[in-house]
Amino acid sequence: MSSKTFQSRRKASLGRSAFIEVEPNVRLHITDMGAGQPVVLIPGYPFGAAMYEYTIHALVAAGYRAIGVDTRGFGLSDKPEGGYNYDVFADDLKVVMETLGLENAVLGGHSMGGAYSLHFAAKYGGEHLSGLALFSAAAPKHTKAADYPYPLFTKEDISSWLELLKVNRPALTDTVGERFVLPTNTLTPGYFAWLGSLGVTASPYAMVKALTALRDEDLREDLAKIKVPTLILHAKDDAIAAYALAEQMHAGIKNATLVTFDKSGHGTFIEEREKFNAELLKFLKR
């Protein structure tokens, strides 16, 4: 059975189901709330879409349909062996879009989720989309290269994280967690515990494979292929995805708007929640 036929048979019965099968025996968990123009939210590594809890509240209250998609291997989605790269993630997302019959959607992604959201928009020529929103996106390339000095990390840096992940996942979580928010921010311990809990459901296998993709993928050629209006939300002091990457995306994507955050790090969606939600809603209402 072709993938197209397989998906067309599922469309009639799925509706707003909590799970969508993107290939035989691989299901993605979907949070689907509200009505109106669809806003599809892709989480960052290593979270599921539960990270958007406070964004979803705001979107539904404003009259939008908020759809959070757990990436394969993360959140409540299935955790198979196999490929975990931006092509696989984008193809999974295409099935979700087709299965739910989404058109005129705005696609938003955080960190690595922002990177493969960008890749989806480029690979599929803007199909299903009326806009793209990139939140602290680890794109177009997350590691330094001889001709690309903008990222914060070298290939060797990320490779050392991979080795740590294979022997001490909590230590890696602590290493990344220390960089996630501004040190001066006063989030309560409960918030940190909540954020930490969102990553524990990730498959160790998926974490290794996806971090490898984050290290090696290069989306620089995708920037010129983006055909929809794009919002870039990025903190000046982001210690995970350099602000210089946001500037590169802003320069390379036609019809892109860059909004700078001054009181947050990589977690703009929670550190500056009110501004984050307001800027996203402003973009949706444009």
Side-chain angles (χ1 to χ4, degrees):
M1 182 190 305
S2 73
S3 173
K4 192 177 211 177
T5 302
F6 175 77
Q7 293 309 324
S8 67
R9 290 186 184 179
R10 293 200 50 86
K11 281 183 185 179
S13 61
L14 259 170
R16 292 162 69 89
S17 172
F19 288 92
I20 290 177
E21 193 165 14
V22 293
E23 63 183 46
N25 300 315
V26 178
R27 304 173 308 152
L28 300 193
H29 180 263
I30 307 298
T31 301
D32 189 350
M33 300 180 64
Q37 182 185 9
V39 182
V40 180
L41 299 171
I42 306 300
Y45 179 99
F47 304 134
M51 64 167 274
Y52 288 114
E53 178 176 343
Y54 307 108
T55 308
I56 289 173
H57 286 322
L59 289 171
V60 172
Y64 292 92
R65 179 182 177 188
I67 302 166
V69 182
D70 289 359
T71 304
R72 68 163 64 200
F74 298 88
L76 300 179
S77 289
D78 286 345
K79 299 167 174 62
E81 292 186 297
Y84 282 83
N85 57 50
Y86 293 176
D87 267 334
V88 170
F89 297 152
D91 291 347
D92 284 352
L93 183 55
K94 184 69 163 68
V95 175
V96 171
M97 295 280 194
E98 290 179 347
T99 302
L100 294 179
L102 300 181
E103 299 298 337
N104 193 38
V106 171
L107 174 62
H110 177 262
S111 196
M112 186 184 76
Y116 82 78
S117 293
L118 188 156
H119 186 55
F120 173 89
K123 180 174 182 176
Y124 289 106
E127 287 183 47
H128 308 285
L129 302 181
S130 63
L132 175 67
L134 304 172
F135 316 136
S136 311
K141 182 173 173 60
H142 193 56
T143 52
K144 293 179 184 289
D147 62 343
Y148 205 72
Y150 307 104
L152 295 172
F153 306 108
T154 65
K155 184 173 183 177
E156 291 71 26
D157 291 331
I158 306 300
S159 295
S160 71
W161 289 8
L162 279 165
E163 294 309 309
L164 182 60
L165 175 58
K166 293 173 185 177
V167 297
N168 192 341
R169 178 155 62 143
L172 174 67
T173 301
D174 289 344
T175 297
V176 176
E178 290 171 356
R179 293 175 167 270
F180 199 83
V181 302
L182 280 186
T184 54
N185 276 350
T186 55
L187 294 178
T188 65
Y191 267 123
F192 285 108
W194 172 70
L195 282 170
S197 72
L198 299 181
V200 298
T201 57
S203 155
Y205 175 88
M207 286 186 69
V208 168
K209 291 292 186 178
L211 187 56
T212 302
L214 185 62
R215 180 192 67 185
D216 296 342
E217 295 272 6
D218 187 343
L219 304 180
R220 283 179 282 179
E221 293 185 0
D222 279 358
L223 299 181
K225 299 176 184 177
I226 304 301
K227 299 179 180 179
V228 295
T230 300
L231 174 67
I232 302 168
L233 303 183
H234 214 107
K236 195 83 170 181
D237 294 320
D238 192 323
I240 292 178
Y243 183 75
L245 296 181
E247 294 176 318
Q248 289 296 302
M249 289 185 285
H250 185 226
I253 298 173
K254 186 178 180 181
N255 199 14
T257 299
L258 171 60
V259 178
T260 301
F261 285 66
D262 297 315
K263 300 177 182 178
S264 55
H266 197 55
T268 52
F269 64 96
I270 188 169
E271 293 176 90
E272 292 190 76
R273 172 179 50 82
E274 291 184 0
K275 179 178 178 179
F276 180 93
N277 290 341
E279 291 292 347
L280 179 56
L281 288 171
K282 179 181 175 181
F283 179 68
L284 292 171
K285 294 172 182 176
R286 70 194 186 282

